[in-house]
Amino acid sequence: MILSLLLCDLLALYKALDFVSQDEMLTPLGRLDKYAASENVFNRQMVARSLLDTLREVCDDERDCIAVLERISRLADDSEPTVRAELMEQVPHIALFCQENRPSIPYAFSKYLLPIVVRYLADQNNQVRKTSQAALLALLEQELIERFDVETKVCPVLIELTAPDSNDDVKTEAVAIMCKMAPMVGKDITERLILPRFCEMCCDCRMFHVRKVCAANFGDICSVVGQQATEEMLLPRFFQLCSDNVWGVRKACAECFMAVSCATCQEIRRTKLSALFINLISDPSRWVRQAAFQSLGPFISTFANPSSSGQYFKEESKSSEDTSVEDKNRIRDQEVPEDILIRPEDVTADPSTSNSSVKLESTMEDDAETSSKSPGEISVSVDSSLLCTLSSESHQEAASNENDKKPGNHKSTLRPEVGTSSQDSALLDQELYNSFHFWRTPLPEIDLDVELEQGSEDKFSPETAEAAPEVPTPGSPSITMATRKELEEMIENLEPHIDDPDVKAQVDVLSAALRASSLDAPEEASSTEQRSDAQDALGVSELANCRRSPDASVPFASSAVENMDSTLRYIHNDSDLSTNSSFSPDEERRSKVQDVVPQALLDQYLSMTDPSRAQTVDTEIAKHCAYSLPGVALTLGRRNWHCLRETYETLASDMQWKVRRTLAFSIHELAVILGDQLTAADLVPIFNGFLKDLDEVRIGVLKHLHDFLKLLHIDKRREYLYQLQEFLVTDNSRNWRFRAELAEQLILLLELYSPRDVYDYLRPIALNLCADKVSSVRWISYKLVSEMVKKLHMATPPTFGVDLINELVESFGRCPKWSGRQAFVFVCQTVIEDECLPMDQFAVHLMPHLLTLANDRVPNVRVLLAKTLRQTLLEKDCFLTSASCHQEAVEQAIMALQMDRDSDVKYFASIHPASTKISEDAMSTASSTY
């Protein structure tokens, strides 16, 4: 019985071996034909999978390659859908092979493979159709289909599949393929072949699925065909889709609204698309409203104007003298509209020329008449003491708004002449763009503008021209003394609270204004007569004297004092907020009015923080608001930050940590948009709150800690040195990635702080991280310590660097735990690799302690030492030249390691394997540290 069973097994084994030997004797084409004709479905699937391998075997023979491709055509007619689907999955790979071997098999893809792909688009089996669609898109993305084939073979088939009598599922899929392939085939083919049929599909009255697909891909088509075709052909269809009776179509329109807006002009965006979007926001369907609110922020961002929202962040390392002239001109063009500037080249510089005086007088008269006729416009007094002043920011906004409608309005803001000295030009630029103009809120300036406007009308009207010298000016003695006294009182009241960063910013501005008013006092007596003469007739000689006078800062002082009036009102109002009631609803509404985007859109965006929205629209609507807030802030510009300030503060205190986390990840970008003054006033308090939040929120702040701190003033930046230690404490001690990110950020923060601060505050954190329980944290910390050694050694004097090295030796080099001694070797290896110390200094301070570890009792330490000496230290040519006197000691240590009793130590000390990085060493040597 047992013998018979053995014979049966041997017979089966013989047949199997005979079957295998028969296959091995067949040619690649023979095996292909054998299994392609099999009745077993799995054999035919195996044939489809092995087609590429078969082609590679016969690629040297063109006739065999053509024969394989012909068999692919026959296999495409297989009745089993799984075989056809398997074949279609291999087509992109086969097409790529044909493209690479095109000289031997020309036109193979176009003749044999592409017809199969196109035919399968209308296959009865859904899986085959899906596979062919994916294959077609992959071929188009890899540019394996010729442009002629796209026009003659692909597009006609897709247009036929979208015919009215076509199958519903096939039609929907064909429309989706047309939309997805449009960006790949380009504008010309899309406009000629795809766009007409796409417009027809948008109006398909029978199937809403087709309209939904068109709406979902509307933005892609618009971005391909461009602005003209979008506005002429697509926008009418888009309006119809937005009012479709199926909420799914309207929802798809809301989701692609930003892409459609990007393809239109600003006028259509403002007049037509805005109203259309408001309809979607108030749609009866909750799902449509939800999608619309998610797209609201991105849609608002399409209103951004680079000329008005261009960003310039004042770094403390660059003074006004260091800033290039091109940058100053660029910034000036962004901040001050062109049509309200009197250019210096338009004024003759020759004092003896009387024509320029007459022209300037006529300009004054025209401005006075314009001021008296247009009470809504503001004209600044052209006075000899005020020629070089820059009006306040609210004046610029009012003038720029009115200048769009009334070109007769001009301001007497002058640019420095080409011939002026660099010192005067720098002073002018410094006053034009001092930090004072960026932190005031426009709310208290509304009344101030009206008062200045009335004063300007009275001053420039012909009836009161003779009485003009009697009108008190900002530089008059009475106003100057009163303002100076008020400034001193405000500074005295604020000094006890100087620790508050907001109070400190106010004190700095008040002190600057006080100094400016003191400069203005000596000039008052001598300039009274000049003012009366200037109002009769003003010559260019006085204009030149204003620029070249040693007391050129006097006009700026009067401007600063004038602007300080509104600042004092703002400070008083701010101090009274705790006692007085809040602003009235009308005042709050006026404070959020701007002209960059339609106000209705901004009002809807601001309402996203309303708790009722979470109940009626989306529970995560606040998160979407927080996500798009930097884009909205960039669109509005820093001048309109007051419109978003309250919303940002509401989001920062939201109960959902996901909302706060979103803000934490983007606060550094918002700081760049707002500038240093607004950042210090509005973002720093919120940033401080995020530092004490949950770890999920703190990680957002930590990941961009360097990006945010580098934007702050150096004094403000130093305040965070005390808080860096808090990042070592996390809610979950197993959250080692938090500590790893801290080490990464500390490497970047080294450049922001002085050697003293690095030694006092960053050094303890770095040494703590070097002893972390997780090896990934320790590896980054070794890099941190080495960079710290480099920075402190380059300082003058390098005492901090020497002290840090001594502490490394004591804490790690002589540590009773072997892991600490191993960390010391890692630090030395990093110092050598990155050349953080000159080799002579390394030989003096670190090498003696490093070589003593050759006798360490733990093999892991000796293994890493052998790697460091053989693969890192001896590879440095600078060591062989500058530290030649220490080579003997190194060679003796290596010889001792070569005689070590541990085989691994002996191996790494005896031979010279390929150089490895510190991370590889850590993986091989320190993976079992704990």
Side-chain angles (χ1 to χ4, degrees):
M1 184 66 179
I2 297 176
L3 182 61
S4 62
L5 291 175
L6 289 175
L7 289 175
C8 293
D9 293 340
L10 290 174
L11 184 61
L13 179 62
Y14 174 77
K15 290 182 178 180
L17 292 175
D18 183 62
F19 183 79
V20 173
S21 61
Q22 290 179 4
D23 282 353
E24 291 179 353
M25 294 177 61
L26 293 175
T27 63
L29 286 177
R31 288 196 304 270
L32 192 65
D33 291 336
K34 176 182 177 180
Y35 289 103
S38 174
E39 295 181 357
N40 192 333
V41 175
F42 298 104
N43 288 339
R44 300 200 299 274
Q45 287 181 353
M46 184 185 65
V47 170
R49 293 192 191 101
S50 61
L51 284 173
L52 183 59
D53 295 333
T54 305
L55 272 176
R56 288 172 177 166
E57 292 180 10
V58 301
C59 62
D60 296 333
D61 192 337
E62 180 179 348
R63 289 179 298 179
D64 290 345
C65 290
I66 298 299
V68 173
L69 293 174
E70 290 176 349
R71 279 144 175 93
I72 292 177
S73 300
R74 290 200 298 268
L75 191 63
D77 297 329
D78 197 288
S79 59
E80 180 61 35
T82 57
V83 177
R84 301 197 302 271
E86 187 67 42
L87 174 62
M88 192 51 53
E89 289 181 359
Q90 302 300 321
V91 165
H93 306 290
I94 299 174
L96 184 60
F97 174 82
C98 295
Q99 182 71 16
E100 295 173 351
N101 298 271
R102 189 163 185 167
S104 59
I105 43 177
Y107 309 110
F109 172 76
S110 177
K111 182 178 180 180
Y112 296 101
L113 299 180
L114 185 58
I116 302 175
V117 176
V118 173
R119 189 178 63 185
Y120 279 5
L121 292 175
D123 196 273
Q124 296 297 323
N125 185 268
N126 181 56
Q127 181 183 4
V128 177
R129 289 200 311 272
K130 296 294 184 183
T131 310
S132 64
Q133 294 164 14
L136 177 61
L137 294 177
L139 294 170
L140 289 171
E141 186 177 2
Q142 299 177 14
E143 299 180 355
L144 297 177
I145 306 180
E146 298 290 340
R147 184 180 183 87
F148 176 78
D149 292 336
V150 173
E151 296 185 20
T152 58
K153 296 182 179 180
V154 179
C155 289
V157 173
L158 292 175
I159 293 175
E160 181 181 354
L161 294 178
T162 55
D165 56 347
S166 179
N167 180 271
D168 293 345
D169 294 338
V170 174
K171 181 192 296 186
T172 304
E173 295 169 357
V175 173
I177 290 295
M178 291 172 59
C179 297
K180 293 178 181 178
M181 65 181 287
M184 303 177 189
V185 300
K187 178 179 180 181
D188 180 55
I189 295 179
T190 302
E191 283 187 343
R192 289 190 293 106
L193 302 177
I194 298 179
L195 185 59
R197 180 51 61 93
F198 178 81
C199 293
E200 294 178 9
M201 295 295 99
C202 290
C203 302
D204 192 312
C205 300
R206 190 170 62 89
M207 287 195 61
F208 79 92
H209 296 287
V210 176
R211 301 196 304 274
K212 184 177 179 181
V213 171
C214 293
N217 298 275
F218 211 95
D220 296 334
I221 299 295
C222 291
S223 61
V224 173
V225 300
Q227 178 177 330
Q228 182 178 359
T230 298
E231 295 176 353
E232 294 178 357
M233 300 183 63
L234 291 176
L235 272 189
R237 307 295 189 277
F238 188 67
F239 274 79
Q240 294 177 5
L241 293 175
C242 288
S243 58
D244 198 275
N245 56 358
V246 178
W247 67 266
V249 178
R250 303 195 302 273
K251 177 177 179 292
C253 292
E255 292 172 346
C256 70
F257 213 94
M258 186 195 75
V260 177
S261 177
C262 291
T264 60
C265 65
Q266 187 72 253
E267 181 181 359
I268 291 180
R269 189 178 301 141
R270 180 178 292 272
T271 57
K272 297 182 179 180
L273 293 183
S274 298
L276 183 63
F277 196 85
I278 294 297
N279 292 336
L280 292 176
I281 284 182
S282 56
D283 194 90
S285 173
R286 176 172 181 170
W287 307 112
V288 178
R289 297 197 305 271
Q290 179 177 330
F293 273 109
Q294 292 182 18
S295 301
L296 178 55
F299 176 51
I300 291 177
S301 66
T302 61
F303 288 86
N305 185 2
S307 61
S308 62
S309 62
Q311 300 302 315
Y312 171 76
F313 194 91
K314 185 187 71 175
E315 300 178 357
E316 75 281 349
S317 59
K318 289 185 178 181
S319 61
S320 58
E321 292 81 5
D322 297 334
T323 309
S324 62
V325 177
E326 292 80 6
D327 291 340
K328 293 175 183 176
N329 293 336
R330 174 176 57 82
I331 301 162
R332 185 184 299 112
D333 294 340
Q334 293 173 358
E335 296 294 340
V336 184
E338 288 288 342
D339 52 359
I340 62 174
L341 289 173
I342 299 178
R343 300 178 179 272
E345 55 266 26
D346 297 337
V347 183
T348 307
D350 187 4
S352 61
T353 305
S354 60
N355 293 335
S356 59
S357 177
V358 175
K359 292 179 180 179
L360 192 55
E361 287 180 358
S362 63
T363 304
M364 293 172 55
E365 293 174 0
D366 294 340
D367 288 344
E369 294 175 2
T370 304
S371 173
S372 60
K373 293 178 181 180
S374 304
E377 299 176 0
I378 300 175
S379 298
V380 180
S381 171
V382 183
D383 198 345
S384 61
S385 63
L386 299 176
L387 278 174
C388 301
T389 60
L390 177 70
S391 60
S392 63
E393 188 174 343
S394 60
H395 298 173
Q396 295 180 13
E397 292 183 359
S400 60
N401 295 338
E402 293 296 333
N403 282 331
D404 296 337
K405 303 177 181 179
K406 302 175 183 178
N409 182 30
H410 297 283
K411 286 185 180 180
S412 57
T413 306
L414 301 179
R415 294 186 179 182
E417 290 186 4
V418 179
T420 56
S421 63
S422 60
Q423 181 178 1
D424 295 338
S425 177
L427 178 60
L428 179 59
D429 289 331
Q430 183 178 5
E431 289 298 326
L432 284 175
Y433 302 103
N434 60 63
S435 59
F436 175 69
H437 294 299
F438 293 97
W439 73 280
R440 290 185 303 157
T441 58
L443 184 60
E445 297 173 0
I446 296 176
D447 298 335
L448 180 62
D449 291 346
V450 177
E451 294 173 8
L452 287 178
E453 177 187 338
Q454 295 174 355
S456 301
E457 293 175 3
D458 296 339
K459 193 169 185 177
F460 284 111
S461 59
E463 294 80 6
T464 59
E466 297 180 357
E470 299 177 1
V471 178
T473 61
S476 62
S478 59
I479 295 181
T480 301
M481 293 300 296
T483 304
R484 192 180 307 142
K485 183 178 180 181
E486 192 173 4
L487 288 173
E488 293 174 352
E489 292 179 355
M490 288 300 303
I491 293 176
E492 291 178 359
N493 294 333
L494 292 175
E495 281 181 352
H497 309 284
I498 197 67
D499 294 336
D500 190 343
D502 298 334
V503 176
K504 185 176 183 302
Q506 295 177 359
V507 171
D508 293 340
V509 176
L510 293 173
S511 301
L514 185 60
R515 290 193 297 269
S517 62
S518 62
L519 289 174
D520 194 32
E523 190 69 15
E524 292 167 358
S526 60
S527 62
T528 304
E529 184 178 353
Q530 296 179 1
R531 291 195 191 97
S532 60
D533 296 337
Q535 292 170 352
D536 295 335
L538 180 63
V540 181
S541 59
E542 294 174 334
L543 175 64
N545 292 333
C546 175
R547 290 199 186 98
R548 298 169 183 162
S549 172
D551 297 331
S553 60
V554 173
F556 295 105
S558 59
S559 177
V561 174
E562 178 183 356
N563 291 334
M564 186 52 59
D565 292 337
S566 61
T567 307
L568 294 176
R569 296 182 187 178
Y570 165 73
I571 295 174
H572 283 308
N573 292 336
D574 184 64
S575 61
D576 294 339
L577 286 179
S578 58
T579 57
N580 297 341
S581 60
S582 59
F583 295 118
S584 64
D586 293 338
E587 291 176 339
E588 291 183 358
R589 182 179 55 82
R590 285 198 301 267
S591 67
K592 298 177 182 179
V593 173
Q594 43 71 50
D595 60 350
V596 179
V597 300
Q599 189 62 36
L601 291 178
L602 182 60
D603 292 341
Q604 292 290 344
Y605 179 80
L606 298 179
S607 70
M608 292 176 71
T609 58
D610 191 342
S612 61
R613 293 292 190 188
Q615 300 176 0
T616 60
V617 180
D618 186 5
T619 56
E620 293 189 350
I621 189 172
K623 181 182 176 182
H624 299 305
C625 179
Y627 182 82
S628 57
L629 194 139
V632 177
L634 178 62
T635 303
L636 296 179
R638 65 180 58 165
R639 292 183 179 179
N640 294 312
W641 168 243
H642 60 276
C643 299
L644 298 174
R645 182 187 293 109
E646 183 180 351
T647 300
Y648 190 78
E649 293 174 353
T650 303
L651 292 172
S653 59
D654 195 274
M655 294 296 294
Q656 302 182 65
W657 62 266
K658 292 182 179 180
V659 177
R660 305 195 303 274
R661 174 186 170 92
T662 304
L663 294 181
F665 271 95
S666 62
I667 192 171
H668 66 289
E669 299 289 353
L670 191 59
V672 175
I673 296 171
L674 297 184
D676 53 356
Q677 294 293 335
L678 288 174
T679 296
D682 296 332
L683 297 188
V684 167
I686 295 176
F687 182 84
N688 295 337
F690 288 157
L691 292 178
K692 304 173 183 178
D693 212 313
L694 300 175
D695 286 351
E696 289 79 5
V697 179
R698 296 170 68 202
I699 188 63
V701 173
L702 181 59
K703 276 186 174 293
H704 303 285
L705 185 63
H706 168 264
D707 297 330
F708 185 82
L709 293 184
K710 73 178 181 180
L711 305 177
L712 302 180
H713 190 270
I714 185 171
D715 295 334
K716 189 69 179 178
R717 188 187 304 154
R718 290 192 74 253
E719 297 178 5
Y720 290 94
L721 288 171
Y722 308 95
Q723 305 182 40
L724 293 177
Q725 191 80 21
E726 299 177 2
F727 282 108
L728 293 175
V729 181
T730 56
D731 299 337
N732 185 1
S733 60
R734 296 182 179 180
N735 189 6
W736 60 268
R737 291 181 177 84
F738 201 90
R739 301 191 296 276
E741 185 63 39
L742 174 61
E744 294 278 7
Q745 289 296 315
L746 290 180
I747 295 176
L748 301 175
L749 290 178
L750 292 177
E751 65 179 13
L752 301 182
Y753 293 104
S754 64
R756 180 76 187 186
D757 291 337
V758 170
Y759 184 81
D760 291 342
Y761 298 100
L762 303 187
R763 172 190 54 85
I765 303 176
L767 297 181
N768 193 333
L769 293 173
C770 284
D772 196 88
K773 293 182 178 181
V774 180
S775 58
S776 297
V777 179
R778 296 196 303 271
W779 299 340
I780 305 174
S781 303
Y782 301 149
K783 174 71 173 178
L784 169 61
V785 172
S786 63
E787 292 294 329
M788 197 173 294
V789 169
K790 181 178 181 180
K791 179 179 179 66
L792 297 180
H793 177 76
M794 294 175 62
T796 305
T799 55
F800 293 122
V802 175
D803 293 342
L804 176 59
I805 292 175
N806 293 335
E807 187 171 1
L808 286 174
V809 173
E810 292 296 330
S811 301
F812 294 95
R814 300 172 183 173
C815 181
K817 292 184 178 181
W818 70 271
S819 58
R821 300 192 298 274
Q822 187 188 59
F824 178 75
V825 182
F826 269 124
V827 171
C828 293
Q829 183 183 17
T830 312
V831 170
I832 298 171
E833 287 183 348
D834 298 341
E835 298 181 359
C836 298
L837 277 179
M839 274 301 158
D840 55 346
Q841 296 295 320
F842 178 84
V844 172
H845 295 291
L846 288 175
M847 188 178 297
H849 308 284
L850 183 65
L851 297 181
T852 57
L853 297 177
N855 299 322
D856 196 275
R857 62 182 181 274
V858 179
N860 284 28
V861 179
R862 301 197 302 273
V863 167
L864 183 58
L865 177 63
K867 288 183 179 181
T868 301
L869 296 180
R870 174 63 78 175
Q871 300 177 11
T872 305
L873 184 61
L874 294 182
E875 288 294 308
K876 295 293 182 181
D877 296 334
C878 53
F879 171 74
L880 301 177
T881 56
S882 62
S884 57
C885 58
H886 299 275
Q887 291 184 27
E888 183 178 354
V890 174
E891 293 175 356
Q892 291 179 358
I894 292 178
M895 291 179 61
L897 293 173
Q898 289 174 353
M899 304 297 295
D900 196 274
R901 61 184 180 273
D902 188 274
S903 59
D904 291 334
V905 177
K906 188 183 301 185
Y907 171 79
F908 285 106
S910 300
I911 68 171
H912 185 22
S915 178
T916 59
K917 297 295 183 181
I918 181 173
S919 60
E920 298 174 0
D921 289 339
M923 288 292 293
S924 61
T925 308
S927 58
S928 60
T929 299
Y930 292 100

